[in-house]
Coordinates of all heavy atoms in Angstrom, one line a residue:
S32 N -6.0 8.2 6.0 CA -5.8 9.0 7.2 C -6.6 10.3 7.1 O -7.2 10.7 8.1 CB -4.4 9.2 7.5 OG -4.2 10.0 8.6
Q33 N -6.5 11.0 6.0 CA -7.2 12.3 5.8 C -8.7 12.1 5.9 O -9.4 12.9 6.5 CB -6.8 12.9 4.5 CG -5.3 13.4 4.5 CD -4.9 13.9 3.1 OE1 -5.4 13.5 2.1 NE2 -4.0 14.9 3.1
A34 N -9.2 11.0 5.3 CA -10.7 10.8 5.3 C -11.1 10.6 6.7 O -12.1 11.1 7.2 CB -11.0 9.6 4.4
V35 N -10.4 9.7 7.4 CA -10.8 9.4 8.8 C -10.7 10.7 9.7 O -11.6 11.0 10.5 CB -9.9 8.3 9.4 CG1 -10.2 8.1 10.9 CG2 -10.2 6.9 8.7
G36 N -9.6 11.4 9.5 CA -9.4 12.6 10.3 C -10.5 13.7 10.0 O -11.0 14.3 10.9
T37 N -10.9 13.8 8.7 CA -11.9 14.8 8.3 C -13.3 14.4 8.9 O -14.0 15.2 9.5 CB -12.1 14.8 6.8 OG1 -10.9 15.2 6.2 CG2 -13.2 15.8 6.4
V38 N -13.6 13.1 8.9 CA -14.9 12.6 9.5 C -14.9 12.8 11.0 O -15.9 13.3 11.6 CB -15.1 11.1 9.2 CG1 -16.3 10.6 10.1 CG2 -15.3 10.9 7.7
I39 N -13.8 12.6 11.7 CA -13.7 12.8 13.1 C -13.9 14.3 13.4 O -14.7 14.7 14.3 CB -12.4 12.3 13.6 CG1 -12.3 10.8 13.6 CG2 -12.2 12.8 15.1 CD1 -11.0 10.2 14.0
I40 N -13.2 15.2 12.7 CA -13.4 16.7 12.9 C -14.8 17.1 12.7 O -15.3 18.0 13.4 CB -12.4 17.4 12.0 CG1 -10.9 17.2 12.4 CG2 -12.7 18.9 12.0 CD1 -9.9 17.7 11.5
I41 N -15.5 16.5 11.7 CA -16.9 16.9 11.4 C -17.8 16.5 12.5 O -18.7 17.2 13.0 CB -17.3 16.4 10.1 CG1 -16.5 17.1 9.0 CG2 -18.8 16.6 9.9 CD1 -16.8 16.5 7.6
V42 N -17.7 15.2 13.0 CA -18.7 14.7 13.9 C -18.4 14.9 15.4 O -19.3 14.8 16.3 CB -18.8 13.1 13.8 CG1 -19.2 12.8 12.3 CG2 -17.5 12.4 14.2
L43 N -17.2 15.4 15.8 CA -16.9 15.6 17.2 C -17.8 16.5 17.9 O -18.3 16.2 19.0 CB -15.4 16.2 17.3 CG -14.3 15.2 17.3 CD1 -13.0 15.9 17.5 CD2 -14.5 14.2 18.5
P44 N -18.1 17.7 17.3 CA -19.1 18.6 18.0 C -20.5 18.0 18.1 O -21.2 18.2 19.1 CB -19.1 19.9 17.2 CG -18.6 19.5 15.8 CD -17.7 18.4 16.1
F45 N -21.0 17.2 17.1 CA -22.3 16.6 17.2 C -22.4 15.5 18.2 O -23.5 15.3 18.8 CB -22.7 16.0 15.8 CG -22.9 17.0 14.7 CD1 -21.9 17.6 14.0 CD2 -24.2 17.6 14.6 CE1 -22.2 18.5 13.0 CE2 -24.5 18.6 13.7 CZ -23.5 19.1 12.8
L46 N -21.3 14.9 18.5 CA -21.3 13.8 19.6 C -20.9 14.4 20.9 O -20.8 13.6 21.9 CB -20.3 12.7 19.1 CG -20.6 12.0 17.9 CD1 -19.5 11.0 17.5 CD2 -21.9 11.4 17.9
N47 N -20.7 15.7 21.0 CA -20.3 16.3 22.3 C -19.1 15.7 22.9 O -18.9 15.6 24.2 CB -21.5 16.3 23.3 CG -22.5 17.3 23.0 OD1 -22.3 18.3 22.4 ND2 -23.8 16.9 23.3
V48 N -18.1 15.3 22.1 CA -16.9 14.7 22.6 C -15.9 15.8 23.0 O -15.3 15.7 24.0 CB -16.2 13.8 21.4 CG1 -14.9 13.3 21.9 CG2 -17.1 12.6 21.1
L49 N -15.9 16.8 22.2 CA -15.0 18.0 22.5 C -15.6 19.3 22.0 O -15.6 19.5 20.7 CB -13.6 17.8 21.9 CG -12.6 18.8 22.3 CD1 -12.3 18.8 23.8 CD2 -11.3 18.6 21.5
R50 N -16.2 20.1 22.8 CA -16.9 21.3 22.4 C -17.0 22.3 23.5 O -17.4 21.9 24.6 CB -18.3 20.9 21.8 CG -19.0 22.1 21.2 CD -20.2 21.6 20.4 NE -21.2 21.1 21.3 CZ -22.1 22.0 21.9 NH1 -22.1 23.2 21.8 NH2 -23.1 21.4 22.7
L51 N -16.7 23.6 23.3 CA -16.9 24.6 24.2 C -18.1 25.5 23.7 O -18.0 26.1 22.7 CB -15.7 25.5 24.3 CG -15.8 26.7 25.2 CD1 -16.1 26.3 26.6 CD2 -14.5 27.6 25.1
D52 N -19.2 25.4 24.5 CA -20.4 26.1 24.1 C -20.4 27.5 24.7 O -20.6 27.7 25.9 CB -21.7 25.3 24.6 CG -23.0 25.8 24.0 OD1 -23.2 25.4 22.9 OD2 -23.6 26.7 24.6
V53 N -20.1 28.4 23.9 CA -19.9 29.8 24.3 C -21.1 30.4 24.9 O -21.1 31.1 26.0 CB -19.3 30.7 23.2 CG1 -19.3 32.2 23.6 CG2 -17.9 30.2 22.8
P54 N -22.4 30.3 24.3 CA -23.6 31.0 24.8 C -23.9 30.5 26.2 O -24.3 31.3 27.1 CB -24.6 30.6 23.9 CG -24.0 30.3 22.6 CD -22.6 29.7 22.9
T55 N -23.6 29.3 26.6 CA -23.9 28.8 28.0 C -22.7 28.7 28.8 O -22.8 28.3 30.0 CB -24.6 27.4 27.9 OG1 -23.8 26.5 27.2 CG2 -25.9 27.6 27.1
L56 N -21.5 28.9 28.3 CA -20.2 28.7 29.0 C -20.1 27.4 29.6 O -19.8 27.1 30.7 CB -20.1 29.8 30.1 CG -19.8 31.2 29.6 CD1 -19.7 32.2 30.8 CD2 -18.6 31.3 28.8
R57 N -20.4 26.3 28.8 CA -20.3 24.9 29.2 C -19.3 24.2 28.2 O -19.3 24.4 27.0 CB -21.6 24.3 29.2 CG -22.6 24.9 30.2 CD -24.0 24.3 30.0 NE -24.9 25.1 30.8 CZ -26.3 24.9 30.8 NH1 -26.8 23.9 30.0 NH2 -27.0 25.6 31.6
F58 N -18.6 23.4 28.8 CA -17.5 22.6 28.1 C -18.0 21.1 28.0 O -18.2 20.5 29.0 CB -16.2 22.7 28.8 CG -15.0 22.0 28.1 CD1 -14.7 22.3 26.7 CD2 -14.4 21.0 28.7 CE1 -13.7 21.7 26.1 CE2 -13.3 20.4 28.1 CZ -13.0 20.7 26.7
Y59 N -18.1 20.6 26.8 CA -18.5 19.2 26.6 C -17.2 18.4 26.3 O -16.5 18.6 25.4 CB -19.5 19.1 25.4 CG -20.8 19.7 25.6 CD1 -21.0 21.1 25.5 CD2 -21.9 18.9 26.0 CE1 -22.2 21.7 25.7 CE2 -23.1 19.5 26.3 CZ -23.3 20.9 26.1 OH -24.5 21.4 26.4
L60 N -17.1 17.4 27.2 CA -15.9 16.5 27.2 C -16.4 15.1 27.3 O -16.8 14.6 28.4 CB -14.9 16.8 28.2 CG -13.6 16.0 28.3 CD1 -12.7 16.3 27.0 CD2 -12.8 16.3 29.6
F61 N -16.3 14.3 26.2 CA -16.6 12.9 26.2 C -18.1 12.7 26.8 O -18.3 11.9 27.6 CB -15.7 12.0 26.9 CG -14.3 12.0 26.2 CD1 -13.2 12.7 26.8 CD2 -14.1 11.3 25.0 CE1 -12.0 12.7 26.2 CE2 -12.9 11.3 24.5 CZ -11.8 12.0 25.0
N62 N -19.0 13.5 26.3 CA -20.4 13.4 26.6 C -20.7 13.8 28.1 O -21.7 13.5 28.6 CB -21.0 12.0 26.4 CG -22.4 12.1 25.9 OD1 -22.9 13.1 25.3 ND2 -23.2 11.1 26.3
N63 N -19.7 14.5 28.7 CA -19.9 15.1 30.0 C -20.0 16.6 29.9 O -19.2 17.2 29.1 CB -18.7 14.7 30.9 CG -18.7 13.3 31.4 OD1 -19.4 12.9 32.2 ND2 -17.9 12.5 30.7
V64 N -21.0 17.2 30.6 CA -21.1 18.7 30.5 C -20.5 19.3 31.7 O -20.8 19.1 32.8 CB -22.6 19.0 30.5 CG1 -22.8 20.5 30.2 CG2 -23.4 18.2 29.4
L65 N -19.4 20.1 31.4 CA -18.7 20.8 32.5 C -19.1 22.2 32.5 O -19.1 22.9 31.5 CB -17.2 20.6 32.3 CG -16.7 19.2 32.0 CD1 -15.2 19.2 31.8 CD2 -17.0 18.3 33.3
W66 N -19.5 22.7 33.7 CA -20.0 24.1 33.8 C -18.8 25.0 34.1 O -17.7 24.6 34.3 CB -21.1 24.2 34.8 CG -22.3 23.4 34.4 CD1 -22.4 22.2 33.8 CD2 -23.7 23.9 34.4 NE1 -23.7 21.9 33.5 CE2 -24.5 22.9 33.9 CE3 -24.3 25.1 34.8 CZ2 -25.9 23.1 33.7 CZ3 -25.6 25.3 34.7 CH2 -26.4 24.3 34.2
V67 N -19.2 26.3 34.2 CA -18.2 27.3 34.3 C -17.3 27.2 35.6 O -16.1 27.6 35.6 CB -18.8 28.8 34.2 CG1 -19.6 29.0 35.4 CG2 -17.7 29.8 34.0
D68 N -17.9 26.7 36.6 CA -17.1 26.5 37.9 C -16.4 25.2 37.9 O -15.8 24.8 38.9 CB -18.0 26.5 39.1 CG -19.2 25.5 39.0 OD1 -19.5 24.9 37.9 OD2 -19.8 25.2 40.1
E69 N -16.4 24.4 36.8 CA -15.6 23.2 36.7 C -14.6 23.3 35.6 O -14.2 22.3 35.1 CB -16.6 22.0 36.4 CG -17.7 21.8 37.4 CD -18.6 20.7 37.0 OE1 -19.2 20.8 35.9 OE2 -18.7 19.7 37.8
F70 N -14.0 24.5 35.3 CA -13.2 24.6 34.2 C -11.8 24.1 34.5 O -10.9 24.2 33.7 CB -13.1 26.0 33.7 CG -14.0 26.3 32.6 CD1 -15.2 25.6 32.5 CD2 -13.7 27.2 31.6 CE1 -16.1 25.9 31.4 CE2 -14.6 27.5 30.5 CZ -15.8 26.8 30.4
H71 N -11.5 23.6 35.7 CA -10.2 22.9 36.0 C -10.1 21.7 35.1 O -9.0 21.2 34.8 CB -10.1 22.6 37.5 CG -11.2 21.8 38.0 ND1 -12.4 22.4 38.4 CD2 -11.4 20.5 38.3 CE1 -13.2 21.5 38.9 NE2 -12.6 20.3 38.8
Y72 N -11.3 21.1 34.7 CA -11.2 20.0 33.8 C -10.7 20.4 32.4 O -10.0 19.8 31.8 CB -12.6 19.3 33.7 CG -13.2 18.7 34.9 CD1 -14.1 19.4 35.7 CD2 -12.8 17.4 35.3 CE1 -14.6 18.8 36.8 CE2 -13.3 16.8 36.4 CZ -14.2 17.5 37.2 OH -14.7 16.9 38.3
L73 N -11.2 21.6 32.1 CA -10.8 22.2 30.7 C -9.3 22.5 30.7 O -8.6 22.2 29.7 CB -11.5 23.5 30.5 CG -11.1 24.3 29.2 CD1 -11.3 23.4 28.0 CD2 -11.9 25.5 29.1
F74 N -8.8 22.9 31.9 CA -7.3 23.2 32.0 C -6.5 21.9 31.8 O -5.6 21.8 31.1 CB -7.0 23.7 33.4 CG -5.5 23.8 33.7 CD1 -4.7 24.8 33.1 CD2 -5.0 22.9 34.5 CE1 -3.4 24.9 33.4 CE2 -3.6 22.9 34.8 CZ -2.8 23.9 34.2
L75 N -7.0 20.8 32.5 CA -6.3 19.5 32.3 C -6.4 19.0 30.8 O -5.4 18.5 30.3 CB -6.9 18.5 33.2 CG -6.6 18.5 34.7 CD1 -7.4 17.5 35.5 CD2 -5.1 18.3 34.9
A76 N -7.6 19.2 30.2 CA -7.7 18.7 28.8 C -6.8 19.5 27.9 O -6.2 19.0 27.0 CB -9.2 18.9 28.4

Side-chain angles (χ1 to χ4, degrees):
S32 175
Q33 288 175 333
V35 172
T37 300
V38 171
I39 291 175
I40 290 172
I41 292 173
V42 303
L43 274 183
F45 288 92
L46 299 178
N47 286 328
V48 174
L49 184 67
R50 185 170 69 84
L51 175 61
D52 194 83
V53 173
T55 60
L56 289 180
R57 296 173 190 173
F58 181 59
Y59 290 81
L60 180 66
F61 295 106
N62 215 30
N63 291 280
V64 187
L65 308 179
W66 291 48
V67 67
D68 59 342
E69 299 177 302
F70 265 34
H71 52 283
Y72 295 100
L73 176 59
F74 170 77
L75 283 175

